[in-house]
Amino acid sequence: MVDRPRMDEADPLSWMREQMPVLRTLGAAGEPLAGTTVGVASHLEPSTGFFIETLHEAGAEVLATASQADSTHDDVVDHLDSLERVETFADASMDDDALDAAHRRLLDREPELLLDDGAELVVKAHDDVSDVAGAVRAAAEQTTSGVSRVEAMADADRLRVPVYRVNHTPMKHQFDNVHGTGESALTNIAMITNTIIAGRTVVVAGYGYVGKGVARKARDLGAETVVTEIDPRKALKARMDGHRVVPMAEAAAEGDLFVTATGNCRVIRDEHFERMPDEAMLANVGHMDVELDLDALRERAVEVTETDQGITRYHLPDGRRLDVLARGRLVNLTGPFSQGHPAAVMDTTFGAMFVAGRDLADGPVPEPGVHDLPDDLDREVAELELDAMGIDIDSPTDLQSAYLDSWDREGTLEAWEQGDWD
């Protein structure tokens, strides 16, 4: 077990250090990143702050920016700027254009390693404006949408650096995407609206790992869950998991709460707004704020009001009112009370990003392209988390290891039983 540090109420990261033992352990294991300049793009809230602090403790020079506007905590930025070898390129007042300019200022410093969210830095490092990809040794990506972007770059023969798709590891999929987003999204929806999830019809658009988490948590809270999908396999998975599966045109007429989790654009659009019941609520947990077609909704509305913090009400000509939460941005990160994912979940995600960065900075890197995080690194993070939780598991015996590695399993057992074992 890792010793728990004492918390300091004046320090914005003190609670994160308490709740993130994997990062504490990794940060205390020497300085494997000494001499490496690391560019980090993520939501600059307290758990990210502790991740950046951990990179700093590991010896890195860290250049940090936000991956999206509206999710930056200025107290976290101030703390990070107080550290030697850490410089931030974000503040809470930035809009999308200002943040884009900040990303480019960071890239002008030519970091060797990019630890990214949404592929914001990787994409900009390759475009015609900055084109500094030649200075980048490697990168790691922590989100579904970011992985899809770098995969598209690789398919178009535009990707000039190796990128670990940390998002696709078991630790990231099963913990961050399912439990982190699923739980934090519904928690923040309930806090913003002061409403109950139980008894409502919750429509979840998309049944990847994030959508799966939202739908599962909503049903556990007592909601009737409806899933919409464009992938037949994911639709079938949702149905076999017990959710009703219908097209969005049908779901639109009956949902009380709509949550988009697709990573795509214009998922809920004008023909769906036309059918929604009065006071339906709409939220997004996909990476970008393009899943809800708010331009179409604004054009349809006769009036737009702010009914409360984080709630924008669109008054329609027929008297219906549709409430958009957190302006259609990530509801678990940009709402008025948002803190992002639970710290215990982000501990494993940032732990995986840390070991990815350590591996890419310390050893030979793969060829340019998109690569899986090596399995032994993902297992390392899982083992650290189990250790922090005080959980022991079994180890395979020599026979069990040999049996699983053998194609002639019957022969392996016979050799073992007869003592003819080499």
Side-chain angles (χ1 to χ4, degrees):
M1 294 286 289
V2 178
D3 291 337
R4 292 189 171 191
R6 297 183 63 180
M7 291 185 294
D8 177 359
E9 292 182 0
D11 184 341
L13 307 187
S14 61
W15 180 249
M16 295 301 109
R17 298 189 195 99
E18 169 79 11
Q19 298 295 314
M20 302 177 80
V22 171
L23 281 184
R24 288 206 310 271
T25 302
L26 291 169
E31 296 189 347
L33 298 176
T36 303
T37 301
V38 181
V40 177
S42 191
H43 303 280
L44 286 180
E45 41 74 48
S47 64
T48 303
F50 184 40
F51 172 51
I52 293 168
E53 188 178 77
T54 303
L55 295 169
H56 167 263
E57 290 178 4
E61 177 183 350
V62 186
L63 310 173
T65 187
S67 55
Q68 286 190 28
D70 294 344
S71 63
T72 298
H73 293 212
D74 277 339
D75 58 342
V76 173
V77 171
D78 291 342
H79 171 80
L80 294 174
D81 278 335
S82 73
L83 303 176
E84 293 185 3
R85 306 191 322 276
V86 176
E87 183 177 354
T88 62
F89 296 77
D91 64 67
S93 69
M94 284 183 170
D95 59 15
D96 290 333
D97 291 338
L99 185 59
D100 177 78
H103 289 171
R104 298 186 185 284
R105 290 198 303 275
L106 184 156
L107 289 169
D108 285 342
R109 298 281 296 277
E110 298 190 347
E112 303 158 66
L113 179 64
L114 301 179
L115 302 181
D116 216 349
D117 181 312
E120 294 296 328
L121 295 181
V122 171
V123 170
K124 291 182 177 72
H126 286 74
D127 68 20
D128 295 333
V129 177
S130 56
D131 195 26
V132 296
V136 177
R137 174 180 174 87
E141 172 56 48
Q142 65 172 310
T143 68
T144 303
S145 60
V147 168
S148 68
R149 292 182 81 184
V150 295
E151 288 176 338
M153 291 177 69
D155 290 342
D157 199 27
R158 291 291 305 275
L159 188 62
R160 295 167 52 194
V161 302
V163 180
Y164 276 164
R165 45 185 173 197
V166 172
N167 179 78
H168 284 38
T169 67
M171 287 299 294
K172 176 64 164 64
H173 269 331
Q174 300 297 342
F175 292 90
D176 184 316
N177 292 354
V178 174
H179 296 289
T181 309
E183 205 160 309
S184 65
L186 294 172
T187 297
N188 280 282
I189 288 168
M191 291 174 63
I192 292 170
T193 62
N194 195 24
T195 57
I196 191 170
I197 302 296
R200 293 179 176 271
T201 298
V202 177
V203 177
V204 180
Y207 202 71
Y209 286 96
V210 170
K212 177 181 178 180
V214 173
R216 177 194 293 179
K217 303 289 184 179
R219 187 175 59 188
D220 288 347
L221 289 171
E224 178 185 358
T225 49
V226 180
V227 169
T228 71
E229 250 300 343
I230 60 174
D231 186 318
R233 297 158 298 183
K234 292 178 180 177
L236 183 58
K237 171 65 174 171
R239 185 67 190 97
M240 299 303 289
D241 285 346
H243 309 291
R244 194 153 55 91
V245 179
V246 299
M248 182 59 77
E250 181 178 339
E254 55 187 272
D256 299 308
L257 168 64
F258 296 82
V259 183
T260 57
T262 70
N264 211 327
C265 64
R266 305 295 187 264
V267 178
I268 298 181
R269 45 194 183 271
D270 193 54
E271 62 262 34
H272 305 136
F273 300 137
E274 186 176 12
R275 305 193 66 191
M276 288 181 178
D278 185 31
E279 294 190 325
M281 296 183 295
L282 298 95
N284 169 45
V285 290
H287 188 77
M288 302 300 290
D289 61 343
V290 296
E291 304 211 10
L292 307 174
D293 189 352
L294 297 185
D295 289 338
L297 183 56
R298 191 174 298 108
E299 185 174 340
R300 175 178 285 272
V302 295
E303 184 182 9
V304 180
T305 60
E306 300 295 325
T307 63
D308 206 341
Q309 294 184 74
I311 306 175
T312 305
R313 173 161 288 179
Y314 292 79
H315 302 259
L316 304 185
D318 58 8
R320 288 180 299 123
R321 296 154 294 176
L322 302 182
D323 293 328
V324 174
L325 309 184
R327 292 183 293 155
R329 294 181 178 269
L330 290 170
V331 71
N332 58 329
L333 279 157
T334 61
F337 315 108
S338 299
Q339 294 291 325
H341 289 4
V345 171
M346 291 309 301
D347 194 25
T348 57
T349 293
F350 284 139
M353 289 291 282
F354 182 97
V355 298
R358 183 190 66 194
D359 187 69
L360 291 168
D362 188 45
V365 298
E367 292 296 317
V370 185
H371 304 271
D372 289 333
L373 182 70
D375 187 66
D376 63 311
L377 300 182
D378 197 51
R379 287 178 178 272
E380 178 186 349
V381 174
E383 289 166 358
L384 288 172
E385 179 67 10
L386 286 174
D387 183 62
M389 298 171 71
I391 296 174
D392 293 324
I393 62 174
D394 291 321
S395 297
T397 66
D398 290 343
L399 171 60
Q400 289 169 340
S401 296
Y403 181 83
L404 291 178
D405 290 340
S406 174
W407 64 269
D408 183 12
R409 294 183 171 180
E410 183 176 350
T412 298
L413 282 174
E414 288 178 357
W416 180 274
E417 292 167 355
Q418 294 171 8
D420 185 17
W421 188 259
D422 185 0

